[in-house]
Amino acid sequence: MAKPQPLTDRRILKIAVPIVLANLTVPILGAVDTGVVGQMGAAAPIGAVGLGAIILASIYWIFGFLRMGTTGLVAQATGAGDLAESGAILTRGIMIGLAAGAVMVLGQVLITHAAFRIAPASAEVEGLARDYLRIRIWGAPATIALYAVNGWLIATERTRGVLVLQLWMNGLNIALDLWFVLGLGWGVQGVAVATLIAEVTGLALGLWLCRAAFSGAQWRDWPRVFDRVRLKRMWSVNSDIMLRTIALQGAMTGFLFTSAGFGDVELAANQILWQFLMLTAYALDGFAFAAEALVGQAVGARSVGLMRRASIRASIWAFGAAVVMALGFWGFGPWVIDLMATDTDVRAAARAYLPYVVVLSVVGLAAYMLDGIFIGATGTREMRNTVILAVAIYGLVIWLSVPIFGNHALWMALILLNVLRGVFLGALYPRLERRVEVQG
């Protein structure tokens, strides 16, 4: 068993800061994708790229379990000094990602058919979006396999590698966007080809960044890779996280769909404020990922004390970030709203609901951090059960209160959802410590 490394603030920040910076590159790429097709002088290409990207992102988001499950399992193997298992877990994750992506490629006709049945568009937009999807779908194996690569990098505290990977993929994507669309005139297909190249080369770079896992023969120790007990544990962890992710996706989708029922003004206001929440998520992800890695390593080392210190110290830094974000939204939120919307009614509505975003930035902290802690400790069953219960209560509150109190009730329900997630997991945290004590 490996001797635990000293837990310092510097170590926490070394993990967290590159993740935050990597996350900030994501909206920049989206803006460039939209901007280059916007130069074509028509609305349909913009809608096609946006619709196609949303369809794929919705499917890929479900596979987030592969990133989280890999992080928790690899962190524990690292903490236990089991480098052979760390490499084997990465191999399993990459194989799952490649296989899932291959299934998407083979089932692309069904995927596109179902997507346009759920979200119908004009004939022109749908035609362009189908062209976009036909090209980008070939990147599915690389994109899903990259979840495992990122999980391994986070678990082993190589988050600078995650940043390098994002900078490479998004930077290359932007450069190729400009060349293919503005230079060669390839239009929507050019955006798709640029993204496909970025995804495939990103996987190649990611494998190189994980070269420590491939330095020995452990990654191709097939009896270990296909060991029944280890595969069963990996399946249990990943299936729990997948169900939890689907439940949360349903809650977030329900929020946006319910918003649409309030009319164009309040829908637009909610969409603007949703971007504020995404910024909070990007900031807090860094500290939640640090908790995943450090707690997982502590569990692998059978150290309850180290697990507790990692949980508390990472959460303190996250609390500081959440307070800064909340103050920023309170002070500069109205100005940002005015930049994002010119309609006076939308501006007024967004300002009216802005206090809910300020509150969510802080009260949602516990849910974010406890998710990271439970992922690191592979307490995925508890995560699954508490999220399903919280989402059920959230849905009931929306059903009962929104018809009476409208959009205010919707925002209060979202706050309740995040509070309940934190409360439920917080109540179960002692169970994680007892589990580690028993294992030790």
Side-chain angles (χ1 to χ4, degrees), residues 143-381:
T143 300
I144 300 174
L146 274 168
Y147 282 119
V149 168
N150 281 314
W152 189 90
L153 290 170
I154 292 166
T156 55
E157 303 185 39
R158 292 171 166 87
T159 52
R160 288 184 182 176
V162 177
L163 176 58
V164 168
L165 193 52
Q166 286 299 314
L167 290 175
W168 166 261
M169 291 177 62
N170 293 337
L172 178 63
N173 202 336
I174 289 170
L176 294 177
D177 268 349
L178 297 173
W179 181 25
F180 293 160
V181 179
L182 301 184
L184 301 179
W186 288 1
V188 169
Q189 293 181 352
V191 175
V193 172
T195 305
L196 173 62
I197 293 172
E199 289 168 339
V200 173
T201 59
L203 178 59
L205 175 59
L207 294 176
W208 182 80
L209 291 169
C210 294
R211 60 192 180 280
F214 306 120
S215 59
Q218 69 272 8
W219 66 275
R220 51 188 172 84
D221 181 356
W222 303 121
R224 174 184 285 272
V225 169
F226 294 107
D227 179 77
R228 188 178 224 174
V229 174
R230 293 183 173 94
L231 281 173
K232 185 177 179 181
R233 186 184 180 212
M234 190 170 188
W235 164 253
S236 176
V237 168
N238 286 334
S239 61
D240 286 340
I241 297 175
M242 182 176 67
L243 291 173
R244 168 255 184 200
T245 302
I246 291 172
L248 274 183
Q249 175 80 342
M252 300 304 104
T253 303
F255 179 91
L256 296 174
F257 281 5
T258 304
S259 298
F262 297 137
D264 293 347
V265 170
E266 292 195 327
L267 173 60
N270 284 2
Q271 289 280 13
I272 290 171
L273 295 177
W274 193 259
Q275 308 313 309
F276 287 46
L277 294 181
M278 290 301 97
L279 285 175
T280 302
Y282 290 149
L284 296 184
D285 267 354
F287 300 101
F289 288 4
E292 291 178 25
L294 297 173
V295 168
Q297 291 179 33
V299 171
R302 308 291 189 264
S303 174
V304 173
L306 186 59
M307 173 184 172
R308 188 179 302 162
R309 289 197 302 275
S311 301
I312 292 172
R313 293 182 77 160
S315 297
I316 289 172
W317 277 103
F319 177 75
V323 170
V324 169
M325 295 290 288
L327 292 175
F329 293 155
W330 184 260
F332 299 103
W335 175 72
V336 176
I337 289 169
D338 290 349
L339 284 178
M340 297 179 72
T342 57
D343 186 283
T344 54
D345 291 336
V346 172
R347 285 177 172 180
R351 286 169 181 257
Y353 302 120
L354 180 61
Y356 293 117
V357 174
V358 175
V359 172
L360 262 171
S361 300
V362 178
V363 301
L365 169 68
Y368 277 104
M369 293 309 298
L370 283 164
D371 271 356
I373 292 163
F374 273 74
I375 288 169
T378 56
T380 53
R381 180 177 299 178

Side-chain angles (χ1 to χ4, degrees), residues 69-197:
T70 301
T71 299
L73 293 170
V74 171
Q76 290 183 21
T78 301
D82 191 351
L83 298 181
E85 182 60 13
S86 173
I89 292 167
L90 177 60
T91 299
R92 290 186 208 116
I94 291 172
M95 291 174 67
I96 291 170
L98 293 175
V103 170
M104 284 184 63
V105 172
L106 294 174
Q108 59 182 288
V109 173
L110 293 176
I111 291 172
T112 53
H113 177 73
F116 291 116
R117 287 292 298 272
I118 296 170
S122 69
E124 185 179 7
V125 168
E126 183 174 325
L128 290 171
R130 286 181 181 275
D131 290 340
Y132 177 88
L133 289 170
R134 269 194 291 269
I135 296 169
R136 269 208 62 190
I137 197 74
W138 290 94
T143 300
I144 300 174
L146 274 168
Y147 282 119
V149 168
N150 281 314
W152 189 90
L153 290 170
I154 292 166
T156 55
E157 303 185 39
R158 292 171 166 87
T159 52
R160 288 184 182 176
V162 177
L163 176 58
V164 168
L165 193 52
Q166 286 299 314
L167 290 175
W168 166 261
M169 291 177 62
N170 293 337
L172 178 63
N173 202 336
I174 289 170
L176 294 177
D177 268 349
L178 297 173
W179 181 25
F180 293 160
V181 179
L182 301 184
L184 301 179
W186 288 1
V188 169
Q189 293 181 352
V191 175
V193 172
T195 305
L196 173 62
I197 293 172

Side-chain angles (χ1 to χ4, degrees), residues 355-410:
Y356 293 117
V357 174
V358 175
V359 172
L360 262 171
S361 300
V362 178
V363 301
L365 169 68
Y368 277 104
M369 293 309 298
L370 283 164
D371 271 356
I373 292 163
F374 273 74
I375 288 169
T378 56
T380 53
R381 180 177 299 178
E382 292 89 347
M383 289 177 63
R384 179 198 67 195
N385 294 343
T386 54
V387 162
I388 290 174
L389 177 58
V391 169
I393 295 171
Y394 162 80
L396 180 63
V397 169
I398 288 177
W399 181 61
L400 293 174
S401 63
V402 164
I404 301 171
F405 301 106
N407 201 31
H408 286 286
L410 181 61

